[in-house]
Amino acid sequence: MWRSCFLVAVLTGSVFPVSGFSNGKVTVSCGDMMPRHGVVPSPAPPPFNITVDTASFTPGDNITVTLQEASSTPTYFRGFLIEARDAGKPNSPAVGSFLLTDPQESQLLQCGHTQGSAVSHRRKSKKTRIQAVWEPPKNPPQRVQFLATVLHEYKVFWVKMEGPVVSLHGATAAPSTPSTPAPPPTSSAPPLSEPFSSAGCGLSKSCLRDPVGCHPESDPACFFLSFVTDQQGGSVTFELSGPAEGYLAFAPLSGQMDGE
Ligand SMILES: *[C@@H]1O[C@H](CO)[C@@H](O)[C@H](O)[C@H]1NC(C)=O
Ligand SMILES: *[C@@H]1O[C@H](CO)[C@@H](O)[C@H](O)[C@H]1NC(C)=O
């Protein structure tokens, strides 16, 4: 019998506050857009919506994306993560890149290879509306969908909300009508109890694995430790999992960990 134990910690300097990502540097969530907050997404309908100012685009266009409250009862959000993806492949990497229109409240992230391919919050202030401009990549997919994870409060959030689809201008068979929204998958958002993933090892994060090259998502005997240092080098995010009767733990050997 084994029990696994997952630990996510954010180290700022050499202190140890498990403070979450109030600074919005959430590249660890680029892929699944899932906050590492120890709770599952809210089952309620999201009180926010995503809109764009066009239904079709050509490379070189600027598309304004708006995330805002869409509720009869006023609400707000503190955190968010917005990406654009190939509409036919919701699990594929983010495409295109964003420009900020509100640098006080938003920042660009690098998801995958493209700098600026996601936008996130900058601080945990209460927001009701945020905009950013999306620029298509040089070779865009025929249809692009905007997706957003929105945090109302630390433990109340919606993951990978499906926004509008925009079609490459002149693309054939492009159902650009908003009356055909892609069905459910908000319910497919994985709960946090899922194992960490080896995806991104060596690219977006550094990983230690035993046995070498094992996959924590499929191999219960895999000891897995990964860490990501943010660009400023101010914080390090760890993922630690493995077979254990009790719990797994680690400690930084000294007060400092080297960033890059
Ligand atoms: C898109 O926005 C950028 C930055 O504001 C600007 O330099 C560029 O000219 C704009 N492109 C179009 C087609 O409006
Ligand atoms: C999004 O919400 C705003 C109100 O905040 C509303 O005016 C708009 O019609 C909504 N758009 C969609 C597509 O639901």
Side-chain angles (χ1 to χ4, degrees):
M1 174 178 95
W2 66 277
R3 272 175 268 147
S4 63
C5 170
F6 303 118
L7 170 68
V8 175
V10 176
L11 279 181
T12 305
S14 57
V15 223
F16 214 127
V18 183
S19 61
F21 293 97
S22 58
N23 64 5
K25 297 188 187 302
V26 293
T27 48
V28 66
S29 296
C30 277
D32 60 8
M33 301 185 76
M34 183 75 185
R36 275 30 180 192
H37 287 183
V39 291
V40 299
S42 170
F48 309 104
N49 71 19
I50 313 163
T51 51
V52 289
D53 62 350
T54 181
S56 65
F57 67 94
T58 47
D61 282 356
N62 284 345
I63 298 176
T64 301
V65 185
T66 306
L67 170 66
Q68 64 186 340
E69 63 168 335
S71 170
S72 42
T73 46
T75 183
Y76 60 85
F77 54 97
R78 291 188 185 275
F80 63 91
L81 175 66
I82 304 173
E83 294 180 20
R85 297 189 182 184
D86 184 335
K89 301 178 192 156
N91 296 321
S92 61
V95 297
S97 55
F98 288 92
L99 303 167
L100 299 181
T101 58
D102 188 359
Q104 283 232 312
E105 293 291 354
S106 58
Q107 66 184 321
L108 300 175
L109 296 182
Q110 176 169 350
C111 284
H113 297 297
T114 314
Q115 171 57 27
S117 52
V119 188
S120 70
H121 56 282
R122 205 178 178 86
R123 49 185 189 166
K124 59 180 185 179
S125 58
K126 296 181 177 180
K127 296 166 264 288
T128 56
R129 186 169 187 267
I130 195 89
Q131 284 192 320
V133 170
W134 182 75
E135 296 190 318
K138 290 212 170 58
N139 295 302
Q142 303 262 298
R143 299 171 66 231
V144 170
Q145 181 164 36
F146 293 91
L147 302 166
T149 285
V150 186
L151 281 88
H152 172 63
E153 288 288 353
Y154 187 79
K155 293 196 179 241
V156 182
F157 53 81
W158 289 264
V159 172
K160 226 170 160 182
M161 281 167 44
E162 298 190 2
V165 173
V166 292
S167 299
L168 180 60
H169 195 66
T172 52
S176 60
T177 54
S179 59
T180 54
T186 35
S187 59
S188 72
L192 187 69
S193 56
E194 75 161 2
F196 292 118
S197 167
S198 55
C201 284
L203 294 171
S204 57
K205 58 190 179 188
S206 305
C207 302
L208 296 171
R209 291 186 270 175
D210 184 20
V212 172
C214 67
H215 299 289
E217 59 273 42
S218 55
D219 182 357
C222 182
F223 277 102
F224 180 73
L225 168 64
S226 81
F227 52 96
V228 177
T229 309
D230 76 30
Q231 275 118 352
Q232 272 74 35
S235 71
V236 184
T237 300
F238 291 94
E239 294 173 328
L240 173 65
S241 70
E245 283 298 319
Y247 60 90
L248 292 167
F250 70 95
L253 291 179
S254 68
Q256 284 277 105
M257 283 206 58
D258 285 323
E260 304 281 277

